[in-house]
Amino acid sequence: MSANLTREETAARAGAIELRSYAVTVDLSNATELKQPTYPARSAITLTSQVSSTWIDYIASSVTAVMVDGVAQPVVYDGARVQVTGLPVGRECRVVVEGASLYSRTGEGLHRFRDPADGEIYLYTQYEPSDARRVFPCFEQPDMKATFTFTMIGPERWHLLSTQPEVSREPAEEGTVCVTFAPTPRQSTYITCLCAGPYHEAGDEWVSPDGRIEVPLRLFCRESLAPHLDADELFRTTKAGLETLHLDFGDYVWGKYDQIFVPEYNLGAMENPGLVTFTEAFLFRSQATPAQYQARANTVLHEMSHMWFGDLVTPRWWSDLWLKESFAEFMGTHLSKEAAGFGDAWLNFTGGRKTAAYIADSLPTTHPVVADIPDLEAAKNNFDRITYSKGASALTQLVHYVGLDAFFAGCRLYFARHAYASATLADFLAALGETSGKDLAAWSSAWLETSGHDELAVAGTRLVRSPSGAAEAADRPHATTVGVYDLTDGRLVLRERVDVVVAGDGVEVPALAQPADVVIPNDTDQTFARVRFDEAARGILLAHVGDLEPLTRAVVWFALRSDVREARLGVLDFVTAVVRHGRREDRPGILTSLLTEVDVVLRRYTAPALRGMVAEQWRDACLVAARESEPGSALQLLWAKAYLWAASLASQDVRFVLDGGIPGVEVSDDLRWLAWQSLATQGDATEAELDQMLARDRTAAGETSHLEAWFSRPDAGLKREAWRRAHVVGGETNDAVDALLAGVFAQGDSPLADEFAAGYFAGLLGVWADHPIEIARRLVVQGYPRNPAHLGLSGDWLAAHPDAPGALRRLVLECDAELRIAERARLTLPGLA
């Protein structure tokens, strides 16, 4: 199968073929027959070719017909490419390819799901970067745009949805209808979309301030989740975003704006114009924190900004997909604050997405934001935190450099020049250069074309810059701030904050001529750089980080977390500081980040001999904090959840929580499952108890939670069965594989660790070759050993397989690097804080 696509061959194809339109028919009449693995699909493509033969991309069960202008051609198909011959050179023709496409259970292509709550069937598509070819024959590359007219056949009682409104609905066979949708504007294949099923619907409308544009708004979700669809808040965010983007970027051109929440989704969301898909995790079944609502708004607005950057103007090749994602990541956070009113948007970005970007950028597999993407396989592996969050951080610096008004003016110019077409980074920077009057070539070279990031530290009266770790040396300019702090009456107090621009190896800061107790570089988090403290400053911050402003707290907490990863700070010091300051932390976003990090520190970075003692202290501190927090508050809920996780490490019967033992905490089904997960991990949950809980919550989320809890019990036979089931080719869904592997490693280091580690490395190449990429990634990353004793096996495999697929080697290298970090951290002696 020739499923990979190279830059050179697709460029040649785009140069030889001019696309006009697709007419695509997908017949889902058999979708409710779960034993039926395929469905008919047909593409009629109007094009003009300068060559007599080419190929069409299609990953399917079979191809049944190929025609050129009505004349049958021989079917030559290798499972990924349909060879097409007999093309008339230099004149328009119509190519038809018919076949049997495969229903998916892995979130790629057309995903089919049966709702355990009511037995209903739901379908949706997910294509990025290149899975439209799993649904219909097409030219699967972003720069070959065309108009699309979709026709769907399905049960008459279902919603049949695409990115444009339906224009006709005719009866088909008994109980089914044939729906045709309006032609789309010119767009790429990967942002087309089809959804089908008895979805619940809510409706509204947005009208532009001048009354020229009316956009119908709809929300969809599974019927069983309708009680959790908070339509008013979602429509509020949607309207606020459209209002601001209309003013900043120009008219919304895609007609309607549907948003649909779908099950077993591999991503957070996808920017299909006119029909945006989201994970159902954004429909909160129980009390959610302000940080969770902000994260959802961020994603809603991220995808909305793609309607202009990514959909209207699309990257020419996958090497520039980072640009649209970085742009949307920046805009999602910017709009969360400026349009939707979430004041902590940038604070949550600092403590969450940006933190993940720093970690990814410190690994040996780091790459420039603008990565060399020679083929599709490389593109699939470069959708990462560097692409998204480091890129967004770089764009934040760019906005500081050129100014927000000039940045938006440059965007408008870019959209006007390249509407309905494809473009490159150079095109974008050229537009920004015109509106800002600045040459951005040096900025781009330093920030986007080198890997790694800088480290900022104080040396005397200078703020000095140096490459962090293995970062490439580059003169990255940093427009940032320096905070000068004094200990006054037992509190750390800001004396002054100074704006600086760091170039070369550093900059003189006159404010540092007067002695200070602590100086914090980048204390308002304007740049992307590792902040380093000496031992004296670190000691003061461990004792006083809670005195700082929220954004500065987030910067300092990340610096301290980095010190743990780099074996500069003992885990006990870090956990003690979180206990000391976390109980008075009033920002849910910061607290969420801290609680998550402590769990990682305990499970990965704490030596087994120390883990039990530290986990017990942490468990007890979480319970005290939960009981002392304001009843019913988001902070109380976070502490209660942290307690349940901690109890699984330091065994304690948590059934009292289910009986209201923490007054004020909502005992929802989600919280109940956390409690039963904790009990199962401890070996204190019976089969009958877990089945009884499943009977109470017979939903998709309940089934997945039951599966994880069932296999989290410390039983060797259960662990082997979970491992086996996760690895069956074509066996489990994406969510089920996650749950099974979580169950295998619920206790961390396991008596079966040696057995699983040996099997893991022996089977790696087969896993990568035999499974769809979304399942293979899960098996490679989540199945990687947790015990540093297995680093020898890891190193041996890497040494023995230099020619393994690049994407696979990268994942193993990253896991290997993380385990080596854990090994060093475990050897760090506990501190005395």
PDB file of all heavy atoms in Angstrom, residues 241-254 257 303-314 327 414-415:
ATOM      1  N   GLY A 241     -17.443  35.474  19.739  1.00  0.00           N
ATOM      2  CA  GLY A 241     -16.324  35.235  18.841  1.00  0.00           C
ATOM      3  C   GLY A 241     -16.602  35.724  17.433  1.00  0.00           C
ATOM      4  O   GLY A 241     -15.754  36.382  16.807  1.00  0.00           O
ATOM      5  N   LEU A 242     -17.778  35.403  16.894  1.00  0.00           N
ATOM      6  CA  LEU A 242     -18.109  35.852  15.545  1.00  0.00           C
ATOM      7  C   LEU A 242     -18.126  37.377  15.457  1.00  0.00           C
ATOM      8  O   LEU A 242     -17.664  37.957  14.465  1.00  0.00           O
ATOM      9  CB  LEU A 242     -19.471  35.285  15.131  1.00  0.00           C
ATOM     10  CG  LEU A 242     -19.492  33.801  14.757  1.00  0.00           C
ATOM     11  CD1 LEU A 242     -20.927  33.316  14.576  1.00  0.00           C
ATOM     12  CD2 LEU A 242     -18.676  33.541  13.490  1.00  0.00           C
ATOM     13  N   GLU A 243     -18.631  38.009  16.484  1.00  0.00           N
ATOM     14  CA  GLU A 243     -18.681  39.481  16.502  1.00  0.00           C
ATOM     15  C   GLU A 243     -17.280  40.078  16.403  1.00  0.00           C
ATOM     16  O   GLU A 243     -17.000  40.967  15.588  1.00  0.00           O
ATOM     17  CB  GLU A 243     -19.357  39.959  17.788  1.00  0.00           C
ATOM     18  CG  GLU A 243     -19.680  41.423  17.814  1.00  0.00           C
ATOM     19  CD  GLU A 243     -21.114  41.687  17.395  1.00  0.00           C
ATOM     20  OE1 GLU A 243     -21.815  40.763  16.973  1.00  0.00           O
ATOM     21  OE2 GLU A 243     -21.511  42.851  17.478  1.00  0.00           O
ATOM     22  N   THR A 244     -16.372  39.565  17.220  1.00  0.00           N
ATOM     23  CA  THR A 244     -15.013  40.116  17.254  1.00  0.00           C
ATOM     24  C   THR A 244     -14.248  39.781  15.976  1.00  0.00           C
ATOM     25  O   THR A 244     -13.565  40.632  15.397  1.00  0.00           O
ATOM     26  CB  THR A 244     -14.263  39.590  18.488  1.00  0.00           C
ATOM     27  OG1 THR A 244     -15.009  39.910  19.662  1.00  0.00           O
ATOM     28  CG2 THR A 244     -12.880  40.216  18.583  1.00  0.00           C
ATOM     29  N   LEU A 245     -14.349  38.537  15.523  1.00  0.00           N
ATOM     30  CA  LEU A 245     -13.616  38.130  14.327  1.00  0.00           C
ATOM     31  C   LEU A 245     -14.152  38.836  13.083  1.00  0.00           C
ATOM     32  O   LEU A 245     -13.387  39.162  12.164  1.00  0.00           O
ATOM     33  CB  LEU A 245     -13.691  36.609  14.166  1.00  0.00           C
ATOM     34  CG  LEU A 245     -12.820  35.832  15.154  1.00  0.00           C
ATOM     35  CD1 LEU A 245     -13.187  34.360  15.161  1.00  0.00           C
ATOM     36  CD2 LEU A 245     -11.338  36.012  14.819  1.00  0.00           C
ATOM     37  N   HIS A 246     -15.435  39.076  13.036  1.00  0.00           N
ATOM     38  CA  HIS A 246     -16.016  39.837  11.921  1.00  0.00           C
ATOM     39  C   HIS A 246     -15.393  41.226  11.850  1.00  0.00           C
ATOM     40  O   HIS A 246     -15.054  41.722  10.759  1.00  0.00           O
ATOM     41  CB  HIS A 246     -17.530  39.917  12.112  1.00  0.00           C
ATOM     42  CG  HIS A 246     -18.219  40.897  11.208  1.00  0.00           C
ATOM     43  ND1 HIS A 246     -18.510  40.626   9.891  1.00  0.00           N
ATOM     44  CD2 HIS A 246     -18.668  42.162  11.441  1.00  0.00           C
ATOM     45  CE1 HIS A 246     -19.112  41.668   9.355  1.00  0.00           C
ATOM     46  NE2 HIS A 246     -19.222  42.614  10.271  1.00  0.00           N
ATOM     47  N   LEU A 247     -15.229  41.861  13.002  1.00  0.00           N
ATOM     48  CA  LEU A 247     -14.647  43.205  13.037  1.00  0.00           C
ATOM     49  C   LEU A 247     -13.156  43.178  12.751  1.00  0.00           C
ATOM     50  O   LEU A 247     -12.620  44.065  12.072  1.00  0.00           O
ATOM     51  CB  LEU A 247     -14.921  43.854  14.395  1.00  0.00           C
ATOM     52  CG  LEU A 247     -16.396  44.137  14.724  1.00  0.00           C
ATOM     53  CD1 LEU A 247     -16.539  44.598  16.164  1.00  0.00           C
ATOM     54  CD2 LEU A 247     -16.978  45.162  13.759  1.00  0.00           C
ATOM     55  N   ASP A 248     -12.450  42.158  13.249  1.00  0.00           N
ATOM     56  CA  ASP A 248     -10.990  42.103  13.099  1.00  0.00           C
ATOM     57  C   ASP A 248     -10.553  41.609  11.725  1.00  0.00           C
ATOM     58  O   ASP A 248      -9.550  42.078  11.176  1.00  0.00           O
ATOM     59  CB  ASP A 248     -10.391  41.191  14.171  1.00  0.00           C
ATOM     60  CG  ASP A 248     -10.413  41.816  15.565  1.00  0.00           C
ATOM     61  OD1 ASP A 248     -10.544  43.046  15.644  1.00  0.00           O
ATOM     62  OD2 ASP A 248     -10.308  41.063  16.549  1.00  0.00           O
ATOM     63  N   PHE A 249     -11.305  40.625  11.158  1.00  0.00           N
ATOM     64  CA  PHE A 249     -10.814  39.930   9.966  1.00  0.00           C
ATOM     65  C   PHE A 249     -11.702  40.062   8.736  1.00  0.00           C
ATOM     66  O   PHE A 249     -11.285  39.717   7.638  1.00  0.00           O
ATOM     67  CB  PHE A 249     -10.637  38.436  10.270  1.00  0.00           C
ATOM     68  CG  PHE A 249      -9.558  38.142  11.270  1.00  0.00           C
ATOM     69  CD1 PHE A 249      -9.599  36.978  12.024  1.00  0.00           C
ATOM     70  CD2 PHE A 249      -8.498  39.009  11.470  1.00  0.00           C
ATOM     71  CE1 PHE A 249      -8.606  36.684  12.948  1.00  0.00           C
ATOM     72  CE2 PHE A 249      -7.503  38.743  12.388  1.00  0.00           C
ATOM     73  CZ  PHE A 249      -7.560  37.577  13.134  1.00  0.00           C
ATOM     74  N   GLY A 250     -12.945  40.488   8.893  1.00  0.00           N
ATOM     75  CA  GLY A 250     -13.830  40.596   7.745  1.00  0.00           C
ATOM     76  C   GLY A 250     -14.980  39.607   7.809  1.00  0.00           C
ATOM     77  O   GLY A 250     -15.160  38.884   8.783  1.00  0.00           O
ATOM     78  N   ASP A 251     -15.762  39.555   6.745  1.00  0.00           N
ATOM     79  CA  ASP A 251     -17.011  38.797   6.734  1.00  0.00           C
ATOM     80  C   ASP A 251     -16.778  37.291   6.920  1.00  0.00           C
ATOM     81  O   ASP A 251     -15.807  36.732   6.386  1.00  0.00           O
ATOM     82  CB  ASP A 251     -17.754  39.010   5.417  1.00  0.00           C
ATOM     83  CG  ASP A 251     -18.268  40.433   5.261  1.00  0.00           C
ATOM     84  OD1 ASP A 251     -18.181  41.194   6.252  1.00  0.00           O
ATOM     85  OD2 ASP A 251     -18.729  40.776   4.162  1.00  0.00           O
ATOM     86  N   TYR A 252     -17.711  36.676   7.638  1.00  0.00           N
ATOM     87  CA  TYR A 252     -17.772  35.215   7.715  1.00  0.00           C
ATOM     88  C   TYR A 252     -18.421  34.718   6.428  1.00  0.00           C
ATOM     89  O   TYR A 252     -19.530  35.149   6.073  1.00  0.00           O
ATOM     90  CB  TYR A 252     -18.586  34.784   8.935  1.00  0.00           C
ATOM     91  CG  TYR A 252     -18.784  33.282   9.034  1.00  0.00           C
ATOM     92  CD1 TYR A 252     -17.758  32.463   9.488  1.00  0.00           C
ATOM     93  CD2 TYR A 252     -19.996  32.697   8.673  1.00  0.00           C
ATOM     94  CE1 TYR A 252     -17.927  31.090   9.570  1.00  0.00           C
ATOM     95  CE2 TYR A 252     -20.177  31.326   8.764  1.00  0.00           C
ATOM     96  CZ  TYR A 252     -19.146  30.523   9.206  1.00  0.00           C
ATOM     97  OH  TYR A 252     -19.304  29.170   9.281  1.00  0.00           O
ATOM     98  N   VAL A 253     -17.769  33.795   5.707  1.00  0.00           N
ATOM     99  CA  VAL A 253     -18.189  33.473   4.338  1.00  0.00           C
ATOM    100  C   VAL A 253     -18.773  32.067   4.188  1.00  0.00           C
ATOM    101  O   VAL A 253     -19.122  31.668   3.071  1.00  0.00           O
ATOM    102  CB  VAL A 253     -16.995  33.617   3.367  1.00  0.00           C
ATOM    103  CG1 VAL A 253     -16.473  35.049   3.380  1.00  0.00           C
ATOM    104  CG2 VAL A 253     -15.879  32.626   3.699  1.00  0.00           C
ATOM    105  N   TRP A 254     -18.893  31.319   5.263  1.00  0.00           N
ATOM    106  CA  TRP A 254     -19.244  29.900   5.123  1.00  0.00           C
ATOM    107  C   TRP A 254     -20.724  29.613   5.352  1.00  0.00           C
ATOM    108  O   TRP A 254     -21.119  28.454   5.466  1.00  0.00           O
ATOM    109  CB  TRP A 254     -18.393  29.072   6.084  1.00  0.00           C
ATOM    110  CG  TRP A 254     -16.925  29.236   5.850  1.00  0.00           C
ATOM    111  CD1 TRP A 254     -16.063  29.996   6.581  1.00  0.00           C
ATOM    112  CD2 TRP A 254     -16.152  28.667   4.789  1.00  0.00           C
ATOM    113  NE1 TRP A 254     -14.789  29.936   6.057  1.00  0.00           N
ATOM    114  CE2 TRP A 254     -14.813  29.115   4.946  1.00  0.00           C
ATOM    115  CE3 TRP A 254     -16.443  27.827   3.719  1.00  0.00           C
ATOM    116  CZ2 TRP A 254     -13.796  28.747   4.088  1.00  0.00           C
ATOM    117  CZ3 TRP A 254     -15.418  27.456   2.855  1.00  0.00           C
ATOM    118  CH2 TRP A 254     -14.110  27.904   3.042  1.00  0.00           C
ATOM    119  N   TYR A 257     -23.314  28.090  10.807  1.00  0.00           N
ATOM    120  CA  TYR A 257     -22.244  27.743  11.748  1.00  0.00           C
ATOM    121  C   TYR A 257     -22.794  26.708  12.729  1.00  0.00           C
ATOM    122  O   TYR A 257     -23.397  27.037  13.747  1.00  0.00           O
ATOM    123  CB  TYR A 257     -21.727  28.972  12.501  1.00  0.00           C
ATOM    124  CG  TYR A 257     -20.372  28.741  13.129  1.00  0.00           C
ATOM    125  CD1 TYR A 257     -19.221  28.811  12.355  1.00  0.00           C
ATOM    126  CD2 TYR A 257     -20.239  28.443  14.483  1.00  0.00           C
ATOM    127  CE1 TYR A 257     -17.966  28.587  12.910  1.00  0.00           C
ATOM    128  CE2 TYR A 257     -18.985  28.229  15.040  1.00  0.00           C
ATOM    129  CZ  TYR A 257     -17.862  28.301  14.252  1.00  0.00           C
ATOM    130  OH  TYR A 257     -16.618  28.066  14.800  1.00  0.00           O
ATOM    131  N   GLU A 303     -11.175  27.104  16.986  1.00  0.00           N
ATOM    132  CA  GLU A 303     -11.717  26.568  15.742  1.00  0.00           C
ATOM    133  C   GLU A 303     -12.382  27.653  14.906  1.00  0.00           C
ATOM    134  O   GLU A 303     -12.301  27.645  13.671  1.00  0.00           O
ATOM    135  CB  GLU A 303     -12.714  25.446  16.041  1.00  0.00           C
ATOM    136  CG  GLU A 303     -12.183  24.315  16.906  1.00  0.00           C
ATOM    137  CD  GLU A 303     -10.887  23.710  16.397  1.00  0.00           C
ATOM    138  OE1 GLU A 303     -10.672  23.693  15.165  1.00  0.00           O
ATOM    139  OE2 GLU A 303     -10.074  23.248  17.223  1.00  0.00           O
ATOM    140  N   MET A 304     -13.026  28.598  15.574  1.00  0.00           N
ATOM    141  CA  MET A 304     -13.689  29.682  14.841  1.00  0.00           C
ATOM    142  C   MET A 304     -12.682  30.535  14.080  1.00  0.00           C
ATOM    143  O   MET A 304     -12.928  30.952  12.937  1.00  0.00           O
ATOM    144  CB  MET A 304     -14.490  30.535  15.821  1.00  0.00           C
ATOM    145  CG  MET A 304     -15.397  31.551  15.152  1.00  0.00           C
ATOM    146  SD  MET A 304     -16.284  32.529  16.391  1.00  0.00           S
ATOM    147  CE  MET A 304     -17.336  31.278  17.117  1.00  0.00           C
ATOM    148  N   SER A 305     -11.528  30.794  14.680  1.00  0.00           N
ATOM    149  CA  SER A 305     -10.524  31.605  13.983  1.00  0.00           C
ATOM    150  C   SER A 305     -10.002  30.897  12.740  1.00  0.00           C
ATOM    151  O   SER A 305      -9.547  31.538  11.789  1.00  0.00           O
ATOM    152  CB  SER A 305      -9.375  31.955  14.935  1.00  0.00           C
ATOM    153  OG  SER A 305      -8.579  30.826  15.232  1.00  0.00           O
ATOM    154  N   HIS A 306     -10.075  29.570  12.729  1.00  0.00           N
ATOM    155  CA  HIS A 306      -9.678  28.809  11.544  1.00  0.00           C
ATOM    156  C   HIS A 306     -10.588  29.080  10.348  1.00  0.00           C
ATOM    157  O   HIS A 306     -10.204  28.800   9.207  1.00  0.00           O
ATOM    158  CB  HIS A 306      -9.727  27.304  11.836  1.00  0.00           C
ATOM    159  CG  HIS A 306      -8.492  26.761  12.467  1.00  0.00           C
ATOM    160  ND1 HIS A 306      -7.226  27.023  12.012  1.00  0.00           N
ATOM    161  CD2 HIS A 306      -8.339  25.901  13.525  1.00  0.00           C
ATOM    162  CE1 HIS A 306      -6.337  26.373  12.758  1.00  0.00           C
ATOM    163  NE2 HIS A 306      -6.991  25.690  13.677  1.00  0.00           N
ATOM    164  N   MET A 307     -11.801  29.566  10.593  1.00  0.00           N
ATOM    165  CA  MET A 307     -12.688  29.861   9.465  1.00  0.00           C
ATOM    166  C   MET A 307     -12.019  30.841   8.503  1.00  0.00           C
ATOM    167  O   MET A 307     -12.293  30.840   7.308  1.00  0.00           O
ATOM    168  CB  MET A 307     -14.017  30.441   9.951  1.00  0.00           C
ATOM    169  CG  MET A 307     -14.813  29.552  10.895  1.00  0.00           C
ATOM    170  SD  MET A 307     -15.303  27.959  10.198  1.00  0.00           S
ATOM    171  CE  MET A 307     -14.397  26.842  11.261  1.00  0.00           C
ATOM    172  N   TRP A 308     -11.141  31.668   9.031  1.00  0.00           N
ATOM    173  CA  TRP A 308     -10.354  32.593   8.218  1.00  0.00           C
ATOM    174  C   TRP A 308      -8.963  31.999   7.964  1.00  0.00           C
ATOM    175  O   TRP A 308      -8.569  31.829   6.821  1.00  0.00           O
ATOM    176  CB  TRP A 308     -10.233  33.940   8.927  1.00  0.00           C
ATOM    177  CG  TRP A 308     -11.478  34.752   8.924  1.00  0.00           C
ATOM    178  CD1 TRP A 308     -11.807  35.761   8.045  1.00  0.00           C
ATOM    179  CD2 TRP A 308     -12.588  34.646   9.834  1.00  0.00           C
ATOM    180  NE1 TRP A 308     -13.044  36.282   8.357  1.00  0.00           N
ATOM    181  CE2 TRP A 308     -13.548  35.614   9.451  1.00  0.00           C
ATOM    182  CE3 TRP A 308     -12.867  33.826  10.932  1.00  0.00           C
ATOM    183  CZ2 TRP A 308     -14.752  35.790  10.120  1.00  0.00           C
ATOM    184  CZ3 TRP A 308     -14.071  33.996  11.609  1.00  0.00           C
ATOM    185  CH2 TRP A 308     -15.001  34.954  11.204  1.00  0.00           C
ATOM    186  N   PHE A 309      -8.244  31.693   9.032  1.00  0.00           N
ATOM    187  CA  PHE A 309      -6.849  31.247   8.907  1.00  0.00           C
ATOM    188  C   PHE A 309      -6.809  29.719   8.948  1.00  0.00           C
ATOM    189  O   PHE A 309      -6.837  29.106   9.997  1.00  0.00           O
ATOM    190  CB  PHE A 309      -6.013  31.818  10.050  1.00  0.00           C
ATOM    191  CG  PHE A 309      -4.554  31.994   9.719  1.00  0.00           C
ATOM    192  CD1 PHE A 309      -3.961  33.236   9.811  1.00  0.00           C
ATOM    193  CD2 PHE A 309      -3.780  30.938   9.293  1.00  0.00           C
ATOM    194  CE1 PHE A 309      -2.625  33.432   9.507  1.00  0.00           C
ATOM    195  CE2 PHE A 309      -2.448  31.106   8.978  1.00  0.00           C
ATOM    196  CZ  PHE A 309      -1.865  32.356   9.083  1.00  0.00           C
ATOM    197  N   GLY A 310      -6.756  29.108   7.791  1.00  0.00           N
ATOM    198  CA  GLY A 310      -6.740  27.652   7.693  1.00  0.00           C
ATOM    199  C   GLY A 310      -7.798  27.156   6.736  1.00  0.00           C
ATOM    200  O   GLY A 310      -7.561  26.230   5.959  1.00  0.00           O
ATOM    201  N   ASP A 311      -9.014  27.772   6.774  1.00  0.00           N
ATOM    202  CA  ASP A 311     -10.094  27.356   5.889  1.00  0.00           C
ATOM    203  C   ASP A 311     -10.202  28.278   4.677  1.00  0.00           C
ATOM    204  O   ASP A 311     -10.152  27.821   3.535  1.00  0.00           O
ATOM    205  CB  ASP A 311     -11.422  27.331   6.649  1.00  0.00           C
ATOM    206  CG  ASP A 311     -11.455  26.249   7.712  1.00  0.00           C
ATOM    207  OD1 ASP A 311     -10.503  25.454   7.796  1.00  0.00           O
ATOM    208  OD2 ASP A 311     -12.435  26.199   8.487  1.00  0.00           O
ATOM    209  N   LEU A 312     -10.353  29.584   4.926  1.00  0.00           N
ATOM    210  CA  LEU A 312     -10.387  30.544   3.819  1.00  0.00           C
ATOM    211  C   LEU A 312      -9.040  30.569   3.094  1.00  0.00           C
ATOM    212  O   LEU A 312      -8.973  30.525   1.867  1.00  0.00           O
ATOM    213  CB  LEU A 312     -10.740  31.931   4.348  1.00  0.00           C
ATOM    214  CG  LEU A 312     -10.836  33.054   3.314  1.00  0.00           C
ATOM    215  CD1 LEU A 312     -11.946  32.771   2.311  1.00  0.00           C
ATOM    216  CD2 LEU A 312     -11.047  34.391   4.008  1.00  0.00           C
ATOM    217  N   VAL A 313      -7.969  30.657   3.859  1.00  0.00           N
ATOM    218  CA  VAL A 313      -6.608  30.556   3.319  1.00  0.00           C
ATOM    219  C   VAL A 313      -5.957  29.344   3.986  1.00  0.00           C
ATOM    220  O   VAL A 313      -5.883  29.271   5.211  1.00  0.00           O
ATOM    221  CB  VAL A 313      -5.778  31.830   3.595  1.00  0.00           C
ATOM    222  CG1 VAL A 313      -4.393  31.692   2.967  1.00  0.00           C
ATOM    223  CG2 VAL A 313      -6.495  33.063   3.075  1.00  0.00           C
ATOM    224  N   THR A 314      -5.517  28.407   3.179  1.00  0.00           N
ATOM    225  CA  THR A 314      -5.028  27.112   3.666  1.00  0.00           C
ATOM    226  C   THR A 314      -3.534  26.976   3.381  1.00  0.00           C
ATOM    227  O   THR A 314      -3.062  27.426   2.332  1.00  0.00           O
ATOM    228  CB  THR A 314      -5.792  25.974   2.957  1.00  0.00           C
ATOM    229  OG1 THR A 314      -7.190  26.174   3.148  1.00  0.00           O
ATOM    230  CG2 THR A 314      -5.402  24.616   3.519  1.00  0.00           C
ATOM    231  N   PHE A 327      -1.534  30.121  15.030  1.00  0.00           N
ATOM    232  CA  PHE A 327      -2.393  31.295  14.936  1.00  0.00           C
ATOM    233  C   PHE A 327      -3.689  31.068  15.723  1.00  0.00           C
ATOM    234  O   PHE A 327      -4.113  31.910  16.522  1.00  0.00           O
ATOM    235  CB  PHE A 327      -2.704  31.583  13.469  1.00  0.00           C
ATOM    236  CG  PHE A 327      -3.605  32.767  13.264  1.00  0.00           C
ATOM    237  CD1 PHE A 327      -3.068  34.034  13.114  1.00  0.00           C
ATOM    238  CD2 PHE A 327      -4.975  32.623  13.214  1.00  0.00           C
ATOM    239  CE1 PHE A 327      -3.889  35.142  12.932  1.00  0.00           C
ATOM    240  CE2 PHE A 327      -5.810  33.717  13.031  1.00  0.00           C
ATOM    241  CZ  PHE A 327      -5.262  34.975  12.886  1.00  0.00           C
ATOM    242  N   TYR A 414      -3.569  39.507   4.226  1.00  0.00           N
ATOM    243  CA  TYR A 414      -3.268  38.109   3.867  1.00  0.00           C
ATOM    244  C   TYR A 414      -4.534  37.396   3.396  1.00  0.00           C
ATOM    245  O   TYR A 414      -4.539  36.697   2.376  1.00  0.00           O
ATOM    246  CB  TYR A 414      -2.655  37.443   5.090  1.00  0.00           C
ATOM    247  CG  TYR A 414      -2.390  35.962   5.017  1.00  0.00           C
ATOM    248  CD1 TYR A 414      -1.323  35.464   4.278  1.00  0.00           C
ATOM    249  CD2 TYR A 414      -3.183  35.065   5.732  1.00  0.00           C
ATOM    250  CE1 TYR A 414      -1.055  34.097   4.247  1.00  0.00           C
ATOM    251  CE2 TYR A 414      -2.926  33.710   5.717  1.00  0.00           C
ATOM    252  CZ  TYR A 414      -1.867  33.225   4.969  1.00  0.00           C
ATOM    253  OH  TYR A 414      -1.607  31.870   4.953  1.00  0.00           O
ATOM    254  N   PHE A 415      -5.646  37.569   4.134  1.00  0.00           N
ATOM    255  CA  PHE A 415      -6.896  36.910   3.752  1.00  0.00           C
ATOM    256  C   PHE A 415      -7.398  37.440   2.404  1.00  0.00           C
ATOM    257  O   PHE A 415      -7.901  36.671   1.573  1.00  0.00           O
ATOM    258  CB  PHE A 415      -7.969  37.132   4.827  1.00  0.00           C
ATOM    259  CG  PHE A 415      -7.612  36.588   6.181  1.00  0.00           C
ATOM    260  CD1 PHE A 415      -8.002  37.255   7.338  1.00  0.00           C
ATOM    261  CD2 PHE A 415      -6.878  35.415   6.309  1.00  0.00           C
ATOM    262  CE1 PHE A 415      -7.677  36.762   8.587  1.00  0.00           C
ATOM    263  CE2 PHE A 415      -6.543  34.918   7.558  1.00  0.00           C
ATOM    264  CZ  PHE A 415      -6.944  35.587   8.706  1.00  0.00           C
TER     265      PHE A 415
END
